[in-house]
Structures are given as structure tokens and as C-alpha cells.
Amino acid sequence: MPVTEMRQCATERAKACFLRACELDVAVRKPGNVSRASAGHAMTADDFIASAGAVAGPLFERGASVGERIEASVDAAWAVANCNTNLGIVLLCAPIARAVELRPDASAPEALQGAIEIVLGELDLADAQAAFRAIARARPGGLGAAPAQDVRHAPSVDLRTAMALAAHRDSIARQYRDGYGELFELGLPTLGTRFSLMAAPVTGAPDAGTVAAVQRLYLALLSSVPDSHIVRIHGEAVAHIVMTAAQGWRVRQRCHGGLDGDPDFAAWDASLKADHINPGTTADLTVAALLIAGLRSPSPSAAGPPGPGGTDRDT
């Protein structure tokens, strides 16, 4: 197959995986996040679905740079939602989309991560300028002043260098610095090799195995590090309380199986929203991890159910 055709096919597949990941983001209850089961934070699931559909085109625009993808996607999302629904998702998925275009054959996790690393290493000042404009327009909740390379001012360094300066306080910036290590080293093993993103039903509610897998992924990410969005809005102490609670729910899921029918799980979701606590960064990481899982080569056993141990959001 000619390279141009390979790139087109890979990009279209990645776009479908992105849209499916965004659908699962709201189809599955993830405590504190907006879902079809539970709106919150002055947003609904439909806001997120509309935003995902709006950004899919510019995010996977062939030949576009990472910065161009980010800025055009934020503009498109604001045009349909008039608020910040998916800035974090866009920031995380733009380098992935570019990597897929450049390396359409990179279906093994190691190859895909290597392709992303190449993209990150080639980010330049223009990418930073476009990303800074997009972030400033999106106005993510709790965005304070940075001592260096503040997004309200023109950057003087490339985008990866700018992200590295924020990596100690922001999990999305840390993925840029560390080559998406958390998603490949924690996210993919948590989902397990039997998880198949595109094998899940496209319409209607996802099956129990898919719901359990997404919740397992979300809890693994939420329990591993304080959520950056919570830290910005509510401080480190609250973020650590939520992280500790997630650790408990992760143990409970391992011991007792699915959580979706557990009234206490729904109550935790409701209590977080009542307190205006939104683990938005963790949700963004969840979507990016699902996208990466969808891009990897399918496992021969992917048709089977995942095992129990299968190994504004921003307002």
C-alpha cells in the first residue's frame, strides 16, 4: 500500500478511535466527571459529545502541526459548546494524532510511544505559540500565573520545554516531558491486552466488561497521583483525599468486581459534584489512554471479556 494511502487509513482509524474514546468518557460513570448517568459542573454529556465531534476534524487534519491541531480544535470546541469541555483531551491527543500520521505502521505500543517521542522532540516555538493562544482562550479552571512561560504571554521556548516547566504541577504537561510514560506504563497494563476499544458497541450503553475496564483505568490513574485540576481549584489536601478514596475503590473493584451497580459508587460521584470537585485531568488522561489502546494491534484474545485484574471537565 502506498505511504499516502497508509497514512490516510491510519488517520481515519485513529479518528474513529478518538470518537469512541470520547463516547466512553461520558457513557461510563466516572465519579466527579460528567456522564450520561450524571450531569454536573454546569455541563452535560451532550456538550462533550458535540465538542468531540467538532474537534475530530482539526485534530486529525493531515499535515497539520501539533500546535495547529491544538488551536484549531479549541476554536472548534468553543464554537459548539461555548465553554471549555476538552482542552486537556486536545492537548494530549494532538501529539498522538501527529504520530499516527507520521508512523502509520506504529501499531505496537513500543513503536507508537517511539513515534510520539519523535513528535514531542520536534515541537518548536510555533507550536508553543499556538498552544499558548489556545490555552489562554480556553481559560481552564484554576489557571494561575506561572513564574516562567505564562500562557498569557508569548512563549520564548518550544512547546515541550514549556510543558516541562509545568510538569511538576500538571499531569498533562508531564506527559509531554516524559513521553506519555504514565499512559503506556500504567494505562495500557491496567486495561490489559484483551481490552478492545472498537469491539465495544458503537451505539447504546457499553457492555459490563467495557464499563468495568474504563472504570478500572480511571481509578488507576486517579489513585496514582493527585488530580491536577482538583489541585488548581481546591488545593493539594482535597486532591489527596480524592486520590486516597480512589485507592479504596480500586481495591473494592479488585475484590468484588464491577462497581457500576454499587449505590455507594454513585453516591461518591454525587458527593464530588455537590462539592464542585471534578477530577478533570484524570478524565483527560483516561480518554488519551483509551485512544492509545485503540491504536495498538488487536490481541488474538481481544474478543473475550476482560479479566477482573486486566492488567467541564476543566472548568
Side-chain angles (χ1 to χ4, degrees), residues 13 17 107 109 112 183-184 187-188 191-193 195-198 217 286-298:
R13 177 170 174 260
C17 288
S107 57
L112 179 57
L183 301 186
F184 281 93
L188 285 189
L191 285 170
T193 57
F195 176 78
S196 177
L197 178 70
M198 302 308 286
L217 170 63
T286 298
V287 170
L290 288 171
L291 170 59
I292 290 171
L295 295 173
R296 66 186 173 185
S297 300

mmCIF file with all atom_site columns, all heavy atoms in Angstrom, residues 13 17 107 109 112 183-184 187-188 191-193 195-198 217 286-298:
data_model
loop_
_atom_site.group_PDB
_atom_site.id
_atom_site.type_symbol
_atom_site.label_atom_id
_atom_site.label_alt_id
_atom_site.label_comp_id
_atom_site.label_asym_id
_atom_site.label_entity_id
_atom_site.label_seq_id
_atom_site.pdbx_PDB_ins_code
_atom_site.Cartn_x
_atom_site.Cartn_y
_atom_site.Cartn_z
_atom_site.occupancy
_atom_site.B_iso_or_equiv
_atom_site.pdbx_formal_charge
_atom_site.auth_seq_id
_atom_site.auth_comp_id
_atom_site.auth_asym_id
_atom_site.auth_atom_id
_atom_site.pdbx_PDB_model_num
ATOM 1   N N   . ARG A 1 13  ? -8.683  5.706  10.999 1.00 0.00 ? 13  ARG A N   1
ATOM 2   C CA  . ARG A 1 13  ? -8.867  4.743  12.098 1.00 0.00 ? 13  ARG A CA  1
ATOM 3   C C   . ARG A 1 13  ? -8.648  5.423  13.435 1.00 0.00 ? 13  ARG A C   1
ATOM 4   O O   . ARG A 1 13  ? -9.404  5.210  14.391 1.00 0.00 ? 13  ARG A O   1
ATOM 5   C CB  . ARG A 1 13  ? -7.892  3.579  11.925 1.00 0.00 ? 13  ARG A CB  1
ATOM 6   C CG  . ARG A 1 13  ? -7.951  2.556  13.062 1.00 0.00 ? 13  ARG A CG  1
ATOM 7   C CD  . ARG A 1 13  ? -7.134  1.312  12.708 1.00 0.00 ? 13  ARG A CD  1
ATOM 8   N NE  . ARG A 1 13  ? -7.070  0.400  13.842 1.00 0.00 ? 13  ARG A NE  1
ATOM 9   C CZ  . ARG A 1 13  ? -6.029  0.300  14.670 1.00 0.00 ? 13  ARG A CZ  1
ATOM 10  N NH1 . ARG A 1 13  ? -4.973  1.076  14.485 1.00 0.00 ? 13  ARG A NH1 1
ATOM 11  N NH2 . ARG A 1 13  ? -6.036  -0.554 15.661 1.00 0.00 ? 13  ARG A NH2 1
ATOM 12  N N   . CYS A 1 17  ? -11.202 5.899  16.600 1.00 0.00 ? 17  CYS A N   1
ATOM 13  C CA  . CYS A 1 17  ? -10.839 5.509  17.969 1.00 0.00 ? 17  CYS A CA  1
ATOM 14  C C   . CYS A 1 17  ? -11.012 6.685  18.925 1.00 0.00 ? 17  CYS A C   1
ATOM 15  O O   . CYS A 1 17  ? -11.484 6.519  20.060 1.00 0.00 ? 17  CYS A O   1
ATOM 16  C CB  . CYS A 1 17  ? -9.397  5.010  18.010 1.00 0.00 ? 17  CYS A CB  1
ATOM 17  S SG  . CYS A 1 17  ? -9.120  3.398  17.252 1.00 0.00 ? 17  CYS A SG  1
ATOM 18  N N   . SER A 1 107 ? 1.850   0.250  15.278 1.00 0.00 ? 107 SER A N   1
ATOM 19  C CA  . SER A 1 107 ? 0.702   -0.295 15.999 1.00 0.00 ? 107 SER A CA  1
ATOM 20  C C   . SER A 1 107 ? 1.104   -0.982 17.308 1.00 0.00 ? 107 SER A C   1
ATOM 21  O O   . SER A 1 107 ? 0.264   -1.130 18.199 1.00 0.00 ? 107 SER A O   1
ATOM 22  C CB  . SER A 1 107 ? -0.062  -1.285 15.113 1.00 0.00 ? 107 SER A CB  1
ATOM 23  O OG  . SER A 1 107 ? 0.783   -2.327 14.673 1.00 0.00 ? 107 SER A OG  1
ATOM 24  N N   . PRO A 1 109 ? 2.720   -1.011 20.960 1.00 0.00 ? 109 PRO A N   1
ATOM 25  C CA  . PRO A 1 109 ? 2.864   0.081  21.939 1.00 0.00 ? 109 PRO A CA  1
ATOM 26  C C   . PRO A 1 109 ? 4.240   0.725  21.927 1.00 0.00 ? 109 PRO A C   1
ATOM 27  O O   . PRO A 1 109 ? 4.356   1.959  21.985 1.00 0.00 ? 109 PRO A O   1
ATOM 28  C CB  . PRO A 1 109 ? 2.569   -0.615 23.272 1.00 0.00 ? 109 PRO A CB  1
ATOM 29  C CG  . PRO A 1 109 ? 1.653   -1.728 22.921 1.00 0.00 ? 109 PRO A CG  1
ATOM 30  C CD  . PRO A 1 109 ? 2.124   -2.215 21.578 1.00 0.00 ? 109 PRO A CD  1
ATOM 31  N N   . LEU A 1 112 ? 4.506   2.942  18.838 1.00 0.00 ? 112 LEU A N   1
ATOM 32  C CA  . LEU A 1 112 ? 3.674   4.130  18.940 1.00 0.00 ? 112 LEU A CA  1
ATOM 33  C C   . LEU A 1 112 ? 4.275   5.127  19.923 1.00 0.00 ? 112 LEU A C   1
ATOM 34  O O   . LEU A 1 112 ? 4.322   6.333  19.651 1.00 0.00 ? 112 LEU A O   1
ATOM 35  C CB  . LEU A 1 112 ? 2.259   3.751  19.365 1.00 0.00 ? 112 LEU A CB  1
ATOM 36  C CG  . LEU A 1 112 ? 1.280   4.915  19.537 1.00 0.00 ? 112 LEU A CG  1
ATOM 37  C CD1 . LEU A 1 112 ? 1.170   5.730  18.252 1.00 0.00 ? 112 LEU A CD1 1
ATOM 38  C CD2 . LEU A 1 112 ? -0.095  4.408  19.964 1.00 0.00 ? 112 LEU A CD2 1
ATOM 39  N N   . LEU A 1 183 ? 0.745   6.808  30.603 1.00 0.00 ? 183 LEU A N   1
ATOM 40  C CA  . LEU A 1 183 ? -0.299  6.169  29.800 1.00 0.00 ? 183 LEU A CA  1
ATOM 41  C C   . LEU A 1 183 ? 0.160   4.806  29.277 1.00 0.00 ? 183 LEU A C   1
ATOM 42  O O   . LEU A 1 183 ? -0.634  3.859  29.233 1.00 0.00 ? 183 LEU A O   1
ATOM 43  C CB  . LEU A 1 183 ? -0.700  7.081  28.643 1.00 0.00 ? 183 LEU A CB  1
ATOM 44  C CG  . LEU A 1 183 ? -1.235  8.462  29.061 1.00 0.00 ? 183 LEU A CG  1
ATOM 45  C CD1 . LEU A 1 183 ? -1.748  9.220  27.852 1.00 0.00 ? 183 LEU A CD1 1
ATOM 46  C CD2 . LEU A 1 183 ? -2.331  8.327  30.109 1.00 0.00 ? 183 LEU A CD2 1
ATOM 47  N N   . PHE A 1 184 ? 1.429   4.707  28.909 1.00 0.00 ? 184 PHE A N   1
ATOM 48  C CA  . PHE A 1 184 ? 1.928   3.440  28.405 1.00 0.00 ? 184 PHE A CA  1
ATOM 49  C C   . PHE A 1 184 ? 2.295   2.472  29.526 1.00 0.00 ? 184 PHE A C   1
ATOM 50  O O   . PHE A 1 184 ? 2.128   1.257  29.372 1.00 0.00 ? 184 PHE A O   1
ATOM 51  C CB  . PHE A 1 184 ? 3.138   3.680  27.498 1.00 0.00 ? 184 PHE A CB  1
ATOM 52  C CG  . PHE A 1 184 ? 2.780   4.145  26.117 1.00 0.00 ? 184 PHE A CG  1
ATOM 53  C CD1 . PHE A 1 184 ? 2.724   5.501  25.820 1.00 0.00 ? 184 PHE A CD1 1
ATOM 54  C CD2 . PHE A 1 184 ? 2.481   3.236  25.115 1.00 0.00 ? 184 PHE A CD2 1
ATOM 55  C CE1 . PHE A 1 184 ? 2.384   5.946  24.553 1.00 0.00 ? 184 PHE A CE1 1
ATOM 56  C CE2 . PHE A 1 184 ? 2.141   3.664  23.837 1.00 0.00 ? 184 PHE A CE2 1
ATOM 57  C CZ  . PHE A 1 184 ? 2.086   5.030  23.559 1.00 0.00 ? 184 PHE A CZ  1
ATOM 58  N N   . GLY A 1 187 ? -1.538  3.042  32.167 1.00 0.00 ? 187 GLY A N   1
ATOM 59  C CA  . GLY A 1 187 ? -2.827  2.973  31.485 1.00 0.00 ? 187 GLY A CA  1
ATOM 60  C C   . GLY A 1 187 ? -3.039  1.694  30.698 1.00 0.00 ? 187 GLY A C   1
ATOM 61  O O   . GLY A 1 187 ? -4.023  0.969  30.920 1.00 0.00 ? 187 GLY A O   1
ATOM 62  N N   . LEU A 1 188 ? -2.124  1.385  29.787 1.00 0.00 ? 188 LEU A N   1
ATOM 63  C CA  . LEU A 1 188 ? -2.288  0.184  28.957 1.00 0.00 ? 188 LEU A CA  1
ATOM 64  C C   . LEU A 1 188 ? -2.275  -1.102 29.776 1.00 0.00 ? 188 LEU A C   1
ATOM 65  O O   . LEU A 1 188 ? -3.140  -1.966 29.582 1.00 0.00 ? 188 LEU A O   1
ATOM 66  C CB  . LEU A 1 188 ? -1.217  0.137  27.873 1.00 0.00 ? 188 LEU A CB  1
ATOM 67  C CG  . LEU A 1 188 ? -1.382  1.098  26.691 1.00 0.00 ? 188 LEU A CG  1
ATOM 68  C CD1 . LEU A 1 188 ? -0.360  0.773  25.609 1.00 0.00 ? 188 LEU A CD1 1
ATOM 69  C CD2 . LEU A 1 188 ? -2.783  1.046  26.117 1.00 0.00 ? 188 LEU A CD2 1
ATOM 70  N N   . LEU A 1 191 ? -5.665  -1.617 31.449 1.00 0.00 ? 191 LEU A N   1
ATOM 71  C CA  . LEU A 1 191 ? -6.718  -2.082 30.545 1.00 0.00 ? 191 LEU A CA  1
ATOM 72  C C   . LEU A 1 191 ? -6.513  -3.541 30.164 1.00 0.00 ? 191 LEU A C   1
ATOM 73  O O   . LEU A 1 191 ? -7.484  -4.293 29.990 1.00 0.00 ? 191 LEU A O   1
ATOM 74  C CB  . LEU A 1 191 ? -6.739  -1.219 29.278 1.00 0.00 ? 191 LEU A CB  1
ATOM 75  C CG  . LEU A 1 191 ? -7.346  0.173  29.419 1.00 0.00 ? 191 LEU A CG  1
ATOM 76  C CD1 . LEU A 1 191 ? -7.083  0.986  28.155 1.00 0.00 ? 191 LEU A CD1 1
ATOM 77  C CD2 . LEU A 1 191 ? -8.839  0.091  29.701 1.00 0.00 ? 191 LEU A CD2 1
ATOM 78  N N   . GLY A 1 192 ? -5.279  -3.963 30.033 1.00 0.00 ? 192 GLY A N   1
ATOM 79  C CA  . GLY A 1 192 ? -4.980  -5.338 29.666 1.00 0.00 ? 192 GLY A CA  1
ATOM 80  C C   . GLY A 1 192 ? -5.000  -5.552 28.169 1.00 0.00 ? 192 GLY A C   1
ATOM 81  O O   . GLY A 1 192 ? -5.594  -4.787 27.408 1.00 0.00 ? 192 GLY A O   1
ATOM 82  N N   . THR A 1 193 ? -4.363  -6.594 27.726 1.00 0.00 ? 193 THR A N   1
ATOM 83  C CA  . THR A 1 193 ? -4.254  -6.869 26.294 1.00 0.00 ? 193 THR A CA  1
ATOM 84  C C   . THR A 1 193 ? -5.565  -7.343 25.692 1.00 0.00 ? 193 THR A C   1
ATOM 85  O O   . THR A 1 193 ? -5.736  -7.315 24.477 1.00 0.00 ? 193 THR A O   1
ATOM 86  C CB  . THR A 1 193 ? -3.177  -7.934 26.035 1.00 0.00 ? 193 THR A CB  1
ATOM 87  O OG1 . THR A 1 193 ? -3.499  -9.120 26.773 1.00 0.00 ? 193 THR A OG1 1
ATOM 88  C CG2 . THR A 1 193 ? -1.804  -7.434 26.469 1.00 0.00 ? 193 THR A CG2 1
ATOM 89  N N   . PHE A 1 195 ? -8.495  -5.993 26.218 1.00 0.00 ? 195 PHE A N   1
ATOM 90  C CA  . PHE A 1 195 ? -9.424  -4.886 26.003 1.00 0.00 ? 195 PHE A CA  1
ATOM 91  C C   . PHE A 1 195 ? -9.383  -4.445 24.549 1.00 0.00 ? 195 PHE A C   1
ATOM 92  O O   . PHE A 1 195 ? -8.319  -4.229 23.978 1.00 0.00 ? 195 PHE A O   1
ATOM 93  C CB  . PHE A 1 195 ? -9.073  -3.692 26.898 1.00 0.00 ? 195 PHE A CB  1
ATOM 94  C CG  . PHE A 1 195 ? -9.935  -2.479 26.648 1.00 0.00 ? 195 PHE A CG  1
ATOM 95  C CD1 . PHE A 1 195 ? -11.214 -2.411 27.160 1.00 0.00 ? 195 PHE A CD1 1
ATOM 96  C CD2 . PHE A 1 195 ? -9.455  -1.418 25.888 1.00 0.00 ? 195 PHE A CD2 1
ATOM 97  C CE1 . PHE A 1 195 ? -12.019 -1.296 26.924 1.00 0.00 ? 195 PHE A CE1 1
ATOM 98  C CE2 . PHE A 1 195 ? -10.241 -0.299 25.651 1.00 0.00 ? 195 PHE A CE2 1
ATOM 99  C CZ  . PHE A 1 195 ? -11.532 -0.240 26.174 1.00 0.00 ? 195 PHE A CZ  1
ATOM 100 N N   . SER A 1 196 ? -10.547 -4.291 23.936 1.00 0.00 ? 196 SER A N   1
ATOM 101 C CA  . SER A 1 196 ? -10.641 -3.839 22.550 1.00 0.00 ? 196 SER A CA  1
ATOM 102 C C   . SER A 1 196 ? -11.588 -2.653 22.484 1.00 0.00 ? 196 SER A C   1
ATOM 103 O O   . SER A 1 196 ? -12.792 -2.802 22.682 1.00 0.00 ? 196 SER A O   1
ATOM 104 C CB  . SER A 1 196 ? -11.135 -4.977 21.645 1.00 0.00 ? 196 SER A CB  1
ATOM 105 O OG  . SER A 1 196 ? -11.287 -4.529 20.312 1.00 0.00 ? 196 SER A OG  1
ATOM 106 N N   . LEU A 1 197 ? -11.039 -1.475 22.222 1.00 0.00 ? 197 LEU A N   1
ATOM 107 C CA  . LEU A 1 197 ? -11.851 -0.267 22.188 1.00 0.00 ? 197 LEU A CA  1
ATOM 108 C C   . LEU A 1 197 ? -12.950 -0.340 21.149 1.00 0.00 ? 197 LEU A C   1
ATOM 109 O O   . LEU A 1 197 ? -14.115 -0.043 21.425 1.00 0.00 ? 197 LEU A O   1
ATOM 110 C CB  . LEU A 1 197 ? -10.950 0.945  21.899 1.00 0.00 ? 197 LEU A CB  1
ATOM 111 C CG  . LEU A 1 197 ? -11.643 2.295  21.787 1.00 0.00 ? 197 LEU A CG  1
ATOM 112 C CD1 . LEU A 1 197 ? -12.151 2.745  23.148 1.00 0.00 ? 197 LEU A CD1 1
ATOM 113 C CD2 . LEU A 1 197 ? -10.699 3.338  21.192 1.00 0.00 ? 197 LEU A CD2 1
ATOM 114 N N   . MET A 1 198 ? -12.613 -0.751 19.949 1.00 0.00 ? 198 MET A N   1
ATOM 115 C CA  . MET A 1 198 ? -13.578 -0.720 18.855 1.00 0.00 ? 198 MET A CA  1
ATOM 116 C C   . MET A 1 198 ? -14.473 -1.947 18.807 1.00 0.00 ? 198 MET A C   1
ATOM 117 O O   . MET A 1 198 ? -15.418 -1.990 18.025 1.00 0.00 ? 198 MET A O   1
ATOM 118 C CB  . MET A 1 198 ? -12.843 -0.550 17.520 1.00 0.00 ? 198 MET A CB  1
ATOM 119 C CG  . MET A 1 198 ? -12.002 0.710  17.459 1.00 0.00 ? 198 MET A CG  1
ATOM 120 S SD  . MET A 1 198 ? -12.908 2.221  17.910 1.00 0.00 ? 198 MET A SD  1
ATOM 121 C CE  . MET A 1 198 ? -13.922 2.435  16.435 1.00 0.00 ? 198 MET A CE  1
ATOM 122 N N   . LEU A 1 217 ? -9.465  1.728  34.654 1.00 0.00 ? 217 LEU A N   1
ATOM 123 C CA  . LEU A 1 217 ? -8.455  2.644  34.146 1.00 0.00 ? 217 LEU A CA  1
ATOM 124 C C   . LEU A 1 217 ? -8.529  3.984  34.873 1.00 0.00 ? 217 LEU A C   1
ATOM 125 O O   . LEU A 1 217 ? -7.508  4.521  35.322 1.00 0.00 ? 217 LEU A O   1
ATOM 126 C CB  . LEU A 1 217 ? -8.663  2.839  32.644 1.00 0.00 ? 217 LEU A CB  1
ATOM 127 C CG  . LEU A 1 217 ? -7.845  3.942  31.963 1.00 0.00 ? 217 LEU A CG  1
ATOM 128 C CD1 . LEU A 1 217 ? -6.354  3.646  32.053 1.00 0.00 ? 217 LEU A CD1 1
ATOM 129 C CD2 . LEU A 1 217 ? -8.283  4.103  30.504 1.00 0.00 ? 217 LEU A CD2 1
ATOM 130 N N   . THR A 1 286 ? -7.639  9.515  30.862 1.00 0.00 ? 286 THR A N   1
ATOM 131 C CA  . THR A 1 286 ? -8.395  8.300  30.547 1.00 0.00 ? 286 THR A CA  1
ATOM 132 C C   . THR A 1 286 ? -8.718  8.239  29.066 1.00 0.00 ? 286 THR A C   1
ATOM 133 O O   . THR A 1 286 ? -8.549  7.196  28.413 1.00 0.00 ? 286 THR A O   1
ATOM 134 C CB  . THR A 1 286 ? -9.688  8.253  31.379 1.00 0.00 ? 286 THR A CB  1
ATOM 135 O OG1 . THR A 1 286 ? -9.351  8.199  32.776 1.00 0.00 ? 286 THR A OG1 1
ATOM 136 C CG2 . THR A 1 286 ? -10.539 7.040  31.017 1.00 0.00 ? 286 THR A CG2 1
ATOM 137 N N   . VAL A 1 287 ? -9.183  9.345  28.504 1.00 0.00 ? 287 VAL A N   1
ATOM 138 C CA  . VAL A 1 287 ? -9.502  9.380  27.075 1.00 0.00 ? 287 VAL A CA  1
ATOM 139 C C   . VAL A 1 287 ? -8.252  9.104  26.238 1.00 0.00 ? 287 VAL A C   1
ATOM 140 O O   . VAL A 1 287 ? -8.289  8.311  25.276 1.00 0.00 ? 287 VAL A O   1
ATOM 141 C CB  . VAL A 1 287 ? -10.125 10.734 26.686 1.00 0.00 ? 287 VAL A CB  1
ATOM 142 C CG1 . VAL A 1 287 ? -10.238 10.860 25.166 1.00 0.00 ? 287 VAL A CG1 1
ATOM 143 C CG2 . VAL A 1 287 ? -11.501 10.886 27.316 1.00 0.00 ? 287 VAL A CG2 1
ATOM 144 N N   . ALA A 1 288 ? -7.145  9.732  26.584 1.00 0.00 ? 288 ALA A N   1
ATOM 145 C CA  . ALA A 1 288 ? -5.911  9.531  25.821 1.00 0.00 ? 288 ALA A CA  1
ATOM 146 C C   . ALA A 1 288 ? -5.433  8.087  25.913 1.00 0.00 ? 288 ALA A C   1
ATOM 147 O O   . ALA A 1 288 ? -4.971  7.506  24.920 1.00 0.00 ? 288 ALA A O   1
ATOM 148 C CB  . ALA A 1 288 ? -4.824  10.480 26.311 1.00 0.00 ? 288 ALA A CB  1
ATOM 149 N N   . ALA A 1 289 ? -5.558  7.479  27.087 1.00 0.00 ? 289 ALA A N   1
ATOM 150 C CA  . ALA A 1 289 ? -5.158  6.083  27.248 1.00 0.00 ? 289 ALA A CA  1
ATOM 151 C C   . ALA A 1 289 ? -6.056  5.165  26.421 1.00 0.00 ? 289 ALA A C   1
ATOM 152 O O   . ALA A 1 289 ? -5.582  4.188  25.822 1.00 0.00 ? 289 ALA A O   1
ATOM 153 C CB  . ALA A 1 289 ? -5.199  5.686  28.718 1.00 0.00 ? 289 ALA A CB  1
ATOM 154 N N   . LEU A 1 290 ? -7.349  5.464  26.385 1.00 0.00 ? 290 LEU A N   1
ATOM 155 C CA  . LEU A 1 290 ? -8.271  4.667  25.567 1.00 0.00 ? 290 LEU A CA  1
ATOM 156 C C   . LEU A 1 290 ? -7.921  4.801  24.087 1.00 0.00 ? 290 LEU A C   1
ATOM 157 O O   . LEU A 1 290 ? -7.962  3.816  23.337 1.00 0.00 ? 290 LEU A O   1
ATOM 158 C CB  . LEU A 1 290 ? -9.713  5.114  25.812 1.00 0.00 ? 290 LEU A CB  1
ATOM 159 C CG  . LEU A 1 290 ? -10.312 4.737  27.169 1.00 0.00 ? 290 LEU A CG  1
ATOM 160 C CD1 . LEU A 1 290 ? -11.659 5.425  27.367 1.00 0.00 ? 290 LEU A CD1 1
ATOM 161 C CD2 . LEU A 1 290 ? -10.471 3.217  27.311 1.00 0.00 ? 290 LEU A CD2 1
ATOM 162 N N   . LEU A 1 291 ? -7.579  6.009  23.659 1.00 0.00 ? 291 LEU A N   1
ATOM 163 C CA  . LEU A 1 291 ? -7.172  6.203  22.268 1.00 0.00 ? 291 LEU A CA  1
ATOM 164 C C   . LEU A 1 291 ? -5.944  5.371  21.948 1.00 0.00 ? 291 LEU A C   1
ATOM 165 O O   . LEU A 1 291 ? -5.903  4.663  20.923 1.00 0.00 ? 291 LEU A O   1
ATOM 166 C CB  . LEU A 1 291 ? -6.890  7.688  22.015 1.00 0.00 ? 291 LEU A CB  1
ATOM 167 C CG  . LEU A 1 291 ? -6.224  8.035  20.674 1.00 0.00 ? 291 LEU A CG  1
ATOM 168 C CD1 . LEU A 1 291 ? -7.060  7.567  19.498 1.00 0.00 ? 291 LEU A CD1 1
ATOM 169 C CD2 . LEU A 1 291 ? -5.961  9.538  20.592 1.00 0.00 ? 291 LEU A CD2 1
ATOM 170 N N   . ILE A 1 292 ? -4.949  5.412  22.813 1.00 0.00 ? 292 ILE A N   1
ATOM 171 C CA  . ILE A 1 292 ? -3.733  4.626  22.584 1.00 0.00 ? 292 ILE A CA  1
ATOM 172 C C   . ILE A 1 292 ? -4.054  3.136  22.536 1.00 0.00 ? 292 ILE A C   1
ATOM 173 O O   . ILE A 1 292 ? -3.538  2.402  21.688 1.00 0.00 ? 292 ILE A O   1
ATOM 174 C CB  . ILE A 1 292 ? -2.700  4.935  23.684 1.00 0.00 ? 292 ILE A CB  1
ATOM 175 C CG1 . ILE A 1 292 ? -2.158  6.360  23.505 1.00 0.00 ? 292 ILE A CG1 1
ATOM 176 C CG2 . ILE A 1 292 ? -1.546  3.925  23.660 1.00 0.00 ? 292 ILE A CG2 1
ATOM 177 C CD1 . ILE A 1 292 ? -1.305  6.845  24.657 1.00 0.00 ? 292 ILE A CD1 1
ATOM 178 N N   . ALA A 1 293 ? -4.930  2.690  23.430 1.00 0.00 ? 293 ALA A N   1
ATOM 179 C CA  . ALA A 1 293 ? -5.325  1.277  23.435 1.00 0.00 ? 293 ALA A CA  1
ATOM 180 C C   . ALA A 1 293 ? -6.014  0.892  22.134 1.00 0.00 ? 293 ALA A C   1
ATOM 181 O O   . ALA A 1 293 ? -5.827  -0.219 21.613 1.00 0.00 ? 293 ALA A O   1
ATOM 182 C CB  . ALA A 1 293 ? -6.247  0.997  24.618 1.00 0.00 ? 293 ALA A CB  1
ATOM 183 N N   . GLY A 1 294 ? -6.795  1.815  21.584 1.00 0.00 ? 294 GLY A N   1
ATOM 184 C CA  . GLY A 1 294 ? -7.468  1.525  20.318 1.00 0.00 ? 294 GLY A CA  1
ATOM 185 C C   . GLY A 1 294 ? -6.523  1.451  19.136 1.00 0.00 ? 294 GLY A C   1
ATOM 186 O O   . GLY A 1 294 ? -6.817  0.784  18.139 1.00 0.00 ? 294 GLY A O   1
ATOM 187 N N   . LEU A 1 295 ? -5.377  2.113  19.240 1.00 0.00 ? 295 LEU A N   1
ATOM 188 C CA  . LEU A 1 295 ? -4.430  2.157  18.131 1.00 0.00 ? 295 LEU A CA  1
ATOM 189 C C   . LEU A 1 295 ? -3.488  0.961  18.091 1.00 0.00 ? 295 LEU A C   1
ATOM 190 O O   . LEU A 1 295 ? -2.861  0.711  17.063 1.00 0.00 ? 295 LEU A O   1
ATOM 191 C CB  . LEU A 1 295 ? -3.594  3.440  18.216 1.00 0.00 ? 295 LEU A CB  1
ATOM 192 C CG  . LEU A 1 295 ? -4.367  4.747  18.030 1.00 0.00 ? 295 LEU A CG  1
ATOM 193 C CD1 . LEU A 1 295 ? -3.453  5.926  18.302 1.00 0.00 ? 295 LEU A CD1 1
ATOM 194 C CD2 . LEU A 1 295 ? -4.966  4.823  16.645 1.00 0.00 ? 295 LEU A CD2 1
ATOM 195 N N   . ARG A 1 296 ? -3.372  0.249  19.207 1.00 0.00 ? 296 ARG A N   1
ATOM 196 C CA  . ARG A 1 296 ? -2.438  -0.875 19.224 1.00 0.00 ? 296 ARG A CA  1
ATOM 197 C C   . ARG A 1 296 ? -3.014  -2.051 18.441 1.00 0.00 ? 296 ARG A C   1
ATOM 198 O O   . ARG A 1 296 ? -4.224  -2.148 18.205 1.00 0.00 ? 296 ARG A O   1
ATOM 199 C CB  . ARG A 1 296 ? -2.147  -1.309 20.658 1.00 0.00 ? 296 ARG A CB  1
ATOM 200 C CG  . ARG A 1 296 ? -3.336  -1.888 21.374 1.00 0.00 ? 296 ARG A CG  1
ATOM 201 C CD  . ARG A 1 296 ? -3.042  -2.173 22.829 1.00 0.00 ? 296 ARG A CD  1
ATOM 202 N NE  . ARG A 1 296 ? -4.244  -2.583 23.537 1.00 0.00 ? 296 ARG A NE  1
ATOM 203 C CZ  . ARG A 1 296 ? -4.305  -2.812 24.837 1.00 0.00 ? 296 ARG A CZ  1
ATOM 204 N NH1 . ARG A 1 296 ? -3.221  -2.670 25.585 1.00 0.00 ? 296 ARG A NH1 1
ATOM 205 N NH2 . ARG A 1 296 ? -5.438  -3.171 25.398 1.00 0.00 ? 296 ARG A NH2 1
ATOM 206 N N   . SER A 1 297 ? -2.137  -2.937 18.028 1.00 0.00 ? 297 SER A N   1
ATOM 207 C CA  . SER A 1 297 ? -2.567  -4.121 17.290 1.00 0.00 ? 297 SER A CA  1
ATOM 208 C C   . SER A 1 297 ? -3.490  -4.954 18.163 1.00 0.00 ? 297 SER A C   1
ATOM 209 O O   . SER A 1 297 ? -3.202  -5.169 19.343 1.00 0.00 ? 297 SER A O   1
ATOM 210 C CB  . SER A 1 297 ? -1.358  -4.965 16.889 1.00 0.00 ? 297 SER A CB  1
ATOM 211 O OG  . SER A 1 297 ? -0.493  -4.234 16.067 1.00 0.00 ? 297 SER A OG  1
ATOM 212 N N   . PRO A 1 298 ? -4.639  -5.426 17.608 1.00 0.00 ? 298 PRO A N   1
ATOM 213 C CA  . PRO A 1 298 ? -5.554  -6.215 18.424 1.00 0.00 ? 298 PRO A CA  1
ATOM 214 C C   . PRO A 1 298 ? -4.932  -7.515 18.886 1.00 0.00 ? 298 PRO A C   1
ATOM 215 O O   . PRO A 1 298 ? -4.193  -8.167 18.146 1.00 0.00 ? 298 PRO A O   1
ATOM 216 C CB  . PRO A 1 298 ? -6.742  -6.461 17.483 1.00 0.00 ? 298 PRO A CB  1
ATOM 217 C CG  . PRO A 1 298 ? -6.189  -6.295 16.103 1.00 0.00 ? 298 PRO A CG  1
ATOM 218 C CD  . PRO A 1 298 ? -5.103  -5.272 16.220 1.00 0.00 ? 298 PRO A CD  1
#
